Amino acid sequence: MAGNYSAKEMLTKLVAFDTVSRNSNLPLIEFVEEYLSSHGVSSQRVPNEDGTKTNLWATIGPNTDGGVILSGHTDVVPVDGQPWDTDPFEVIEKDGLLYGRGTADMKAFSAIALSLVPEMLRSNMKRPIHLALSYDEEIGCLGAPLMVEDMAPRVKAEAVIVGEPTMMQVVSGHKGVIGLMTKVRGLEVHSSLLHTGVSAVHIAAKLVVWHEQKTKENKLRTEHLAENALFEPGYTSLHCGVIHGGTAHNITAKDCSFSSDFRVLPTEDPLQYLEEYRAYVAELEAEMKAIDPSTGITIDVLANVPGCRRENDGAAERLVRQITGDNAEHVVSYGTEAGQFQDGGYSTIVCGPGDIAQAHAANEFLSIEQLNAGEDFQRKLIERLAS
């Protein structure tokens, strides 16, 4: 017998799956597959290389052009070390709020869509709704590009709605993200003979300072421009989050590594920043190798997520504004999979229930009011596709 769930019940089901990015999302995907199949809806997996995780997409309604893709990621961030008052993988309702990891970011959007599948089927939609669930968004939007590549030749949708938490406001632009791991290999000597060695820590420090200097330059160069006024901050920022290196205070460090991210305005080319960084790395590396050829610097690109660009009279923006009535301009500084769908040829917008301030936080919650608003939005979308 086909399963039927309210939006809250479906959210409770999805949150119960521990899909922290270090884990497989297959149990959640298997549940969704079985649920869709019980309603006669087939689905398509697009797995990662080793098959431990997978994207999933499905079409509800007629196999025609002009439908809408509802996009959501299945993974969540860790809860390690956070002071939760409840079990993070159980939805707890208190004072009109639904607590649990992923309630806001962003299982609610997908839960609403899944709970409405029976209504989608009964509505006799003239154009389809496509559900697109991805893996590993939280560690660099790694899964979505494979899914977009798989869908693009077969799904000619009018619009993509990425349901990240925006309080149901229409977000038409966000920054891109490049995530890096830089590893410096130096030469150990006694610190009294510093000039004969290469300190990996000192070299790493210069590279970290480069990030700060480049951010200051960007602030002066672009913060005053009108097209950046909605972004906070209104410039591309470069940040180093974690650094490790050295063995003792009197030894020049042999190894040092640090992570960094570039949050790039959608009007700028992220690869230009990467090229500038690599050019400075090459300068320092030449100085290092002049002392000892075994030294060096490597850069691993962990994530390269394009920004979401404001579309000129975009179909997705027009559709969602008509449904929500929101005519204000909104942008965000965090990244989503929206730019990847745009790169796949889709008109894309970001709009979903919940507050981004709750994302990744201890005691993450979604208000019942926002769950209802998201459900009302998707029901209106179904009505439009049925008309």
Side-chain angles (χ1 to χ4, degrees):
M1 180 178 294
N4 290 278
Y5 299 88
S6 68
K8 179 186 172 184
E9 290 169 341
M10 182 61 74
L11 179 59
T12 299
K13 285 283 188 181
L14 298 186
V15 168
F17 292 101
D18 180 355
T19 52
V20 169
S21 302
R22 61 175 174 249
N23 301 329
S24 172
N25 72 335
L26 292 183
L28 182 150
I29 293 297
E30 289 165 1
F31 163 75
V32 172
E33 285 176 324
E34 292 174 5
Y35 168 75
L36 292 174
S37 179
S38 74
H39 289 285
V41 177
S42 61
S43 53
Q44 177 69 43
R45 289 191 184 194
V46 186
N48 65 354
E49 187 173 348
D50 63 11
T52 57
K53 300 180 182 182
T54 190
N55 303 292
L56 186 80
W57 65 273
T59 298
I60 299 97
N63 188 19
T64 60
D65 294 348
V68 175
I69 297 172
L70 302 180
S71 168
H73 61 80
T74 62
D75 61 318
V76 296
V77 297
V79 299
D80 307 53
Q82 292 186 332
W84 281 77
D85 297 327
T86 61
D87 181 346
F89 299 106
E90 180 182 356
V91 172
I92 301 296
E93 181 177 355
K94 183 179 179 181
D95 299 327
L97 305 177
L98 300 172
Y99 291 90
R101 175 57 88 222
T103 50
D105 185 19
M106 57 169 290
K107 289 181 175 179
F109 182 77
S110 299
I112 293 168
L114 289 167
S115 72
L116 292 176
V117 166
E119 293 187 29
M120 296 176 191
L121 294 171
R122 289 196 301 268
S123 70
N124 193 29
M125 294 186 298
K126 306 300 187 298
R127 292 169 290 162
I129 286 178
H130 310 275
L131 303 183
L133 305 180
S134 66
Y135 68 86
D136 282 357
E137 188 272 349
E138 294 290 4
I139 57 174
C141 297
L142 303 183
L146 297 175
M147 181 166 57
V148 172
E149 182 181 1
D150 190 69
M151 295 179 72
R154 294 183 274 178
V155 176
K156 306 302 179 184
E158 172 192 6
V160 176
I161 304 171
V162 178
E164 293 279 3
T166 68
M167 297 294 285
M168 297 309 301
Q169 294 179 331
V170 182
V171 170
S172 58
H174 67 65
K175 292 183 178 182
V177 183
I178 289 184
L180 304 175
M181 176 62 71
T182 302
K183 301 174 183 177
V184 183
R185 172 54 63 93
L187 177 65
E188 288 180 312
V189 298
H190 194 283
S191 61
S192 65
L193 298 174
L194 176 66
H195 64 291
T196 65
V198 176
S199 170
V201 166
H202 283 206
I203 297 298
K206 291 181 180 180
L207 293 172
V208 171
V209 169
W210 180 89
H211 285 68
E212 183 178 12
Q213 291 174 335
K214 182 60 64 174
T215 298
K216 290 179 179 178
E217 292 174 11
N218 292 339
K219 185 177 189 296
L220 292 173
R221 180 174 57 85
T222 66
E223 187 178 36
H224 65 283
L225 299 178
E227 61 264 32
N228 301 328
L230 292 176
F231 284 99
E232 178 61 39
Y235 50 87
T236 292
S237 59
L238 293 79
H239 166 258
C240 298
V242 178
I243 187 167
H244 299 284
T247 55
H249 74 280
N250 58 354
I251 303 174
T252 59
K254 183 178 182 179
D255 292 292
C256 189
S257 62
F258 62 91
S259 63
S260 59
D261 60 54
F262 304 172
R263 302 281 173 167
V264 184
L265 290 168
T267 54
E268 297 186 338
D269 182 4
L271 294 181
Q272 180 180 340
Y273 284 95
L274 185 56
E275 290 173 3
E276 290 182 35
Y277 183 53
R278 282 177 167 152
Y280 183 54
V281 163
E283 290 180 18
L284 295 182
E285 193 172 47
E287 297 174 6
M288 296 163 62
K289 288 185 177 297
I291 297 174
D292 188 279
S294 69
T295 62
I297 306 171
T298 60
I299 305 170
D300 295 325
V301 180
L302 306 180
N304 184 6
V305 182
C308 179
R309 289 84 64 189
R310 175 70 186 277
E311 300 171 10
N312 184 21
D313 192 30
E317 180 178 349
R318 185 168 60 250
L319 170 67
V320 177
R321 288 195 185 283
Q322 289 171 352
I323 295 175
T324 62
D326 178 16
N327 291 315
E329 297 291 335
H330 307 285
V331 299
V332 294
S333 293
Y334 58 84
T336 80
E337 297 166 336
Q340 294 170 325
F341 277 98
Q342 285 182 322
D343 287 350
Y346 293 109
S347 176
T348 307
I349 203 74
V350 183
C351 182
D355 188 343
I356 192 61
Q358 290 303 315
H360 305 187
N363 299 317
E364 176 184 351
F365 66 78
L366 174 80
S367 70
I368 293 288
E369 181 181 19
Q370 277 292 296
L371 185 70
N372 292 341
E375 191 171 15
D376 180 65
F377 170 83
Q378 292 195 30
R379 281 201 168 103
K380 289 179 179 177
L381 174 63
I382 293 169
E383 291 174 5
R384 291 181 65 92
L385 296 177
S387 64

